[in-house]
Amino acid sequence: MKIVINLILLLITVALGYMLVNSIREPIAFQEAKDKREQAVINRLMDIRKAQEMFRDIKGGFAPNFDTLQYVLENDSFAIIKIEGDEDATGADAQAIRRDTTYKSALDSIRAMGLRLDSLRHVPYSNKMFDIAADTLTYQQTLVSVVEVGTKRSYFMGKYADDKYARYDNSYNPNTTIKFGDMNSPKLAGNWESK
């Protein structure tokens, strides 16, 4: 009988030890996965922002979808204007200003930056695509271009896309969006940058 009680106590001890180790391991695994996955998404959003800025330099506004963004950056060029003379000059000196325009392929710049246009639309750790919107609006009596690109955290957090993991990180909410830009004002900052 004594052996049976000792075996039961040993099994209870092993079970409690397992539960203790698991309770320590789960928050660490969650934080590591969260940091790794969010950083991959942030890196991709920063690449999309660079591509959108290049698109704006070419077209004067932002791309409303990834197909347009990719097409323009693969097939269009940047205008590089070289100005010789003083633009602020008046009179006879103003006539001495010379402008020389050359064009540089946007694709060359994309390749130099290491951007892969065909994969920009895909959310890392997911089979989803980023939401993208672009338009113009009147902001402080000026017509400006605006863009917003983002995705819900639940799309890329995998098994951690559950509210129960908020107990390990008070700021974690899988239903919030990680994004850059704003459709209501002309800013390109990412919401991860305001932390």
Side-chain angles (χ1 to χ4, degrees):
M1 184 73 168
K2 190 174 183 180
I3 294 175
V4 172
I5 292 173
N6 284 340
L7 282 176
I8 291 172
L9 289 175
L10 179 64
L11 289 175
I12 291 172
T13 304
V14 168
L16 289 173
Y18 174 78
M19 289 171 46
L20 177 64
V21 168
N22 196 39
S23 70
I24 293 170
R25 188 180 319 152
E26 187 178 60
I28 293 170
F30 163 73
Q31 195 61 46
E32 286 175 354
K34 177 181 168 283
D35 292 345
K36 179 181 175 184
R37 289 168 182 251
E38 280 189 359
Q39 192 57 54
V41 170
I42 287 169
N43 290 343
R44 181 73 48 87
L45 284 169
M46 291 191 312
D47 287 346
I48 295 169
R49 182 169 54 190
K50 287 177 199 170
Q52 281 283 17
E53 289 172 329
M54 294 172 80
F55 184 96
R56 181 184 58 191
D57 290 344
I58 295 169
K59 293 294 187 183
F62 294 109
N65 57 59
F66 285 103
D67 291 334
T68 303
L69 180 67
Q70 183 174 349
Y71 180 82
V72 168
L73 293 179
E74 285 178 345
N75 298 297
D76 220 325
S77 300
F78 294 106
I80 301 170
I81 302 170
K82 182 178 178 184
I83 300 173
E84 293 179 7
D86 185 5
E87 285 190 309
D88 297 329
T90 58
D93 292 337
Q95 295 175 356
I97 297 173
R98 187 171 148 239
R99 289 180 176 82
D100 185 25
T101 304
T102 58
Y103 294 91
K104 180 180 179 192
S105 169
L107 190 56
D108 291 343
S109 297
I110 292 293
R111 287 182 180 149
M113 293 171 66
L115 293 179
R116 294 193 49 215
L117 295 174
D118 56 339
S119 65
L120 282 182
R121 67 185 76 211
H122 302 288
V123 177
Y125 299 102
S126 155
N127 60 356
K128 304 279 187 183
M129 291 193 309
F130 285 100
D131 296 323
I132 184 171
D135 204 353
T136 57
L137 66 90
T138 302
Y139 185 80
Q140 297 180 351
Q141 301 176 344
T142 304
L143 189 65
V144 294
S145 297
V146 292
V147 66
E148 184 173 310
V149 180
T151 188
K152 281 186 164 187
R153 281 181 168 80
S154 62
Y155 291 169
F156 62 84
M157 284 304 295
K159 73 176 187 176
Y160 299 110
D162 191 327
D163 290 332
K164 73 178 186 176
Y165 292 100
R167 66 182 177 216
Y168 304 132
D169 183 347
N170 292 335
S171 66
Y172 180 69
N173 180 350
N175 298 313
T176 57
T177 299
I178 186 166
K179 66 174 186 141
F180 75 85
D182 190 339
M183 291 303 291
N184 299 311
S185 68
K187 62 181 178 182
L188 288 177
N191 61 357
W192 66 89
E193 294 170 319
S194 61
K195 290 181 179 180

